């Protein structure tokens, strides 16, 4: 039986649509397991799927969420600050992907 692992960011819109897809996959004979740094375990388990919390990745998520392009709140970001912001988010994403927690 095929096993699908879904990694969710926990946003309601993507989580709800993935749960519908997962329901259809299970109906077709697949197994579906969810992974997330977000606290969505109750919702996922209520829909009949196993859930595993990603704990080590959480530090990267918080760092990325705290970053803002530009200067102080309300300041218009410069093109250079946007480029640096994108680069830093990309670096965090690559570091996160190298964590062995997903294995």
């Amino acid at each position: 039986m095929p096993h699908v692992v879904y990694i969710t960011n926990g946003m309601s819109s993507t989580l709800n649509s993935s749960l519908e897809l997962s329901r259809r996959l299970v109906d077709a004979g697949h197994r579906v397991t969810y992974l997330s740094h977000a606290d969505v375990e109750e919702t996922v388990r209520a829909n009949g799927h196993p859930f595993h919390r990603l704990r080590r990745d959480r530090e990267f998520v918080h760092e990325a969420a705290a970053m803002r392009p530009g200067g102080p709140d309300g300041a218009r970001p410069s093109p250079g600050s946007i480029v640096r912001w994108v680069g830093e988010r990309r670096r965090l994403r690559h570091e996160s992907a190298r964590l062995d927690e997903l294995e």
Side-chain angles (χ1 to χ4, degrees):
M1 158 182 7
H3 189 179
V4 177
V5 176
Y6 188 85
I7 302 173
T8 180
N9 59 11
M11 291 178 61
S12 296
S13 59
T14 57
L15 180 61
N16 289 335
S17 60
S18 74
L19 289 169
E20 174 59 22
L21 174 61
S22 296
R23 183 192 61 76
R24 293 179 187 194
L25 287 168
V26 168
D27 288 349
H30 302 284
R31 289 183 325 161
V32 178
T33 299
Y34 277 76
L35 305 175
S36 183
H37 64 274
D39 187 17
V40 294
E41 181 173 7
E42 186 177 316
T43 302
V44 169
R45 291 193 187 276
N47 282 274
H49 306 293
F51 177 82
H52 298 282
R53 185 86 181 258
L54 297 173
R55 300 198 185 279
R56 290 186 60 205
D57 194 47
R58 201 163 174 76
E59 65 192 68
F60 294 108
V61 171
H62 285 300
E63 275 187 60
M67 289 188 305
R68 299 283 181 263
D73 290 338
R76 183 179 176 143
S78 69
S81 67
I82 293 172
V83 169
R84 285 189 297 280
W85 176 77
V86 169
E88 183 61 15
R89 288 188 62 104
R90 184 173 290 143
R91 182 192 65 77
L92 288 171
R93 183 175 296 144
H94 286 291
E95 285 185 37
S96 174
R98 284 193 291 271
L99 294 174
D100 61 357
E101 187 174 27
L102 292 177
E103 294 175 20

